[in-house]
Amino acid sequence: MSKKSSKFAPELVNSPEEALRLRMKIIFTTQLPHEGFQLLSNTPGVQFIMPEQERLDIPSFIQSAHTDAEILVATFDYTVSKELIDNMPNLQLITNFGVGYNNIDLDACRARGIRVTNTPQPVIEPTAELAFALMIDIARRVSEFDRRIRGIGPQTEPIRFGVMQNLSHSLYGKTLGIIGMGRIGLSLARRALASGMKVIYHNRKPRVESQVPTVESTQYVDFQTLLQDSDFVSLNLPYTPESHHIIGKPELGMMKRSAYLINTARGAHIDEKALVEALQSGIIAGAAMDVYEHEPQINPELLTLNNVVLSPHTGTGTWEGRIAMCENVAENILAFIHNEIDKMNIVL
């Protein structure tokens, strides 16, 4: 096989020394913290090209000088299309900066034999942390009260102080229903249990209690039971065609009128038109969202509602999280270069 072939195979890299002589070129779709890539910076023979700003016109950037890159570092908010892949004949690896990879045309990668990796571990704690923060915010009306005190937002009447004014709801003693009990769901469950909540969950199949201690304090239920019994419903599952609009008008109708919906997973899990109608008519009490069906566009009707908390897809958006994700990307790249496939977070 030619050294310039885009097909990955073990014989492509016979040794670390040979890999370094290949002088693999890495191109990024956006600017990322340089301190997270020190492993690569200190590796001879590896050239990485990072844009000087975010939201660059990536196809033009690549087409102008970098179609020869062997490795592409893609962020979760950038679509890696078949057209882009076809314009990079030497491409051997796409390493996604994030856990979700529905932004990448996997069929095009599969046809070319291109490896795809993600960064699942660093996203767990920050995403679960934000989901829990959104639960507290929407239940205790933190953002709503902040807006009203400042006199901004959907309702600008002066806020009144008093014993029976500005009442909200506690999380303690309530039931959290987690849809998708993966690593992020488990991390969220630990936080909820520590706060005195009951946790139920729905997965494609129950988790094995002996392997996941957190699960011993939770209960597996069917999807309908979860919707009917939960005071908070949190979406923590990956996006697939089967999970598209997993929450729509029928599902919202099954929830308690006092329930809150939390989404830090993917926007297309929710039929936003149905959600707006449910929020406006009091079918559910409120929603807190970090992701949106037509992101980055946000349904303007959501902006008119006080029983909604909105966050700009920042579940993993901490400095610590970003640097850890960069380090995970660097580890995936170095494992690929050294042909240590078992050390990579392989998606494809």
Side-chain angles (χ1 to χ4, degrees), residues 8-26 39-48 70-71 92-93 95 115 117 329-344:
F8 175 83
E11 63 266 29
L12 179 66
V13 179
N14 293 317
S15 68
E17 293 75 19
E18 183 178 354
L20 297 181
R21 285 199 300 273
L22 290 175
R23 300 192 64 81
M24 285 198 171
K25 185 174 186 179
I26 306 164
L39 282 172
L40 291 177
S41 301
N42 298 330
T43 301
V46 174
Q47 177 189 15
F48 60 98
E70 289 87 4
I71 298 172
Q92 300 166 24
L93 172 68
T95 177
R115 291 279 188 187
T117 63
V329 166
E331 290 164 355
N332 280 327
I333 291 173
L334 286 178
F336 175 81
I337 289 174
H338 291 272
N339 199 23
E340 297 173 333
I341 306 303
D342 58 321
K343 296 183 179 180
M344 298 166 63

Side-chain angles (χ1 to χ4, degrees), residues 91-138:
L91 190 62
Q92 300 166 24
L93 172 68
I94 299 173
T95 177
N96 212 41
F97 184 84
V99 65
Y101 45 86
N102 56 302
N103 58 310
I104 299 172
D105 190 327
L106 295 182
D107 289 336
C109 293
R110 192 174 290 109
R112 284 266 305 273
I114 296 170
R115 291 279 188 187
V116 179
T117 63
N118 64 348
T119 59
Q121 193 64 33
V123 309
I124 297 170
E125 297 305 326
T127 305
E129 188 175 75
L130 181 66
F132 196 64
L134 290 175
M135 287 170 55
I136 296 174
D137 193 319
I138 190 64

Side-chain angles (χ1 to χ4, degrees), residues 30 42 46 54 62 92 103 112 120 127-128 139 152 168 171 194 197 207 210 246 258 266 293 335 346 348:
T30 194
N42 298 330
V46 174
E54 291 190 69
I62 293 175
Q92 300 166 24
N103 58 310
R112 284 266 305 273
T127 305
I152 59 176
S168 60
L171 273 63
M197 300 184 77
R207 298 297 299 255
S210 61
I246 192 172
S258 58
R266 286 292 182 266
E293 186 173 3
I346 293 177
L348 180 67

Side-chain angles (χ1 to χ4, degrees), residues 11 32 68 82-83 95 109 128 136 146 167 185 199 217 223 236 286 293 305:
E11 63 266 29
L32 294 170
D68 60 336
K82 182 179 185 300
E83 181 181 9
T95 177
C109 293
I136 296 174
D146 179 76
L167 300 183
V199 178
S217 302
F223 185 57
N236 299 100
E293 186 173 3
L305 301 172

Side-chain angles (χ1 to χ4, degrees), residues 62-347:
I62 293 175
Q63 194 65 39
S64 63
H66 308 300
T67 56
D68 60 336
E70 289 87 4
I71 298 172
L72 175 67
V73 178
T75 51
F76 51 77
D77 60 347
Y78 181 79
T79 300
V80 181
S81 64
K82 182 179 185 300
E83 181 181 9
L84 180 65
I85 292 168
D86 288 345
N87 284 334
M88 301 182 70
N90 294 340
L91 190 62
Q92 300 166 24
L93 172 68
I94 299 173
T95 177
N96 212 41
F97 184 84
V99 65
Y101 45 86
N102 56 302
N103 58 310
I104 299 172
D105 190 327
L106 295 182
D107 289 336
C109 293
R110 192 174 290 109
R112 284 266 305 273
I114 296 170
R115 291 279 188 187
V116 179
T117 63
N118 64 348
T119 59
Q121 193 64 33
V123 309
I124 297 170
E125 297 305 326
T127 305
E129 188 175 75
L130 181 66
F132 196 64
L134 290 175
M135 287 170 55
I136 296 174
D137 193 319
I138 190 64
R140 295 305 307 268
R141 302 170 65 186
V142 177
S143 292
E144 177 194 344
F145 291 155
D146 179 76
R147 290 191 299 266
R148 290 177 60 192
I149 287 174
R150 296 171 187 270
I152 59 176
Q155 297 181 18
T156 57
E157 73 276 9
I159 200 162
R160 297 170 58 190
F161 287 74
V163 174
M164 295 305 294
Q165 301 293 324
N166 312 314
L167 300 183
S168 60
H169 291 283
S170 176
L171 273 63
Y172 183 83
K174 298 298 194 309
T175 297
L176 167 62
I178 296 176
I179 301 176
M181 190 63 102
R183 284 168 289 198
I184 294 172
L186 286 166
S187 183
L188 176 59
R190 288 195 297 271
R191 288 169 168 80
L193 292 168
S195 296
M197 300 184 77
K198 175 185 176 182
V199 178
I200 60 177
Y201 74 97
H202 180 74
N203 245 16
R204 285 174 292 184
K205 57 183 180 179
R207 298 297 299 255
V208 178
E209 294 183 6
S210 61
Q211 295 178 351
V212 188
T214 302
V215 176
E216 296 178 3
S217 302
T218 68
Q219 180 185 1
Y220 176 83
V221 297
D222 62 63
F223 185 57
Q224 183 172 332
T225 298
L226 183 142
L227 294 175
Q228 293 173 338
D229 291 356
S230 297
D231 299 297
F232 297 84
V233 173
S234 179
L235 302 179
N236 299 100
L237 68 165
Y239 180 78
T240 64
E242 293 73 29
S243 67
H244 182 80
H245 285 188
I246 192 172
I247 301 294
K249 185 174 181 178
E251 291 76 23
L252 291 163
M254 295 180 196
M255 293 172 62
K256 298 178 181 180
R257 294 182 71 86
S258 58
Y260 298 96
L261 179 64
I262 315 296
N263 190 11
T264 55
R266 286 292 182 266
H269 288 323
I270 298 176
D271 179 345
E272 281 187 6
K273 181 180 178 181
L275 175 62
V276 168
E277 292 173 357
L279 292 167
Q280 290 172 333
S281 61
I283 297 298
I284 64 171
M289 308 164 66
D290 185 48
V291 288
Y292 307 92
E293 186 173 3
H294 303 292
E295 194 172 313
Q297 286 75 37
I298 298 176
N299 187 323
E301 292 187 271
L302 290 173
L303 306 179
T304 69
L305 301 172
N306 248 338
N307 57 344
V308 177
V309 173
L310 306 174
S311 177
H313 200 152
T314 187
T316 62
T318 66
W319 280 108
E320 296 86 354
R322 287 288 180 260
I323 291 172
M325 291 168 72
C326 290
E327 290 172 346
N328 200 178
V329 166
E331 290 164 355
N332 280 327
I333 291 173
L334 286 178
F336 175 81
I337 289 174
H338 291 272
N339 199 23
E340 297 173 333
I341 306 303
D342 58 321
K343 296 183 179 180
M344 298 166 63
N345 300 119
I346 293 177
V347 171

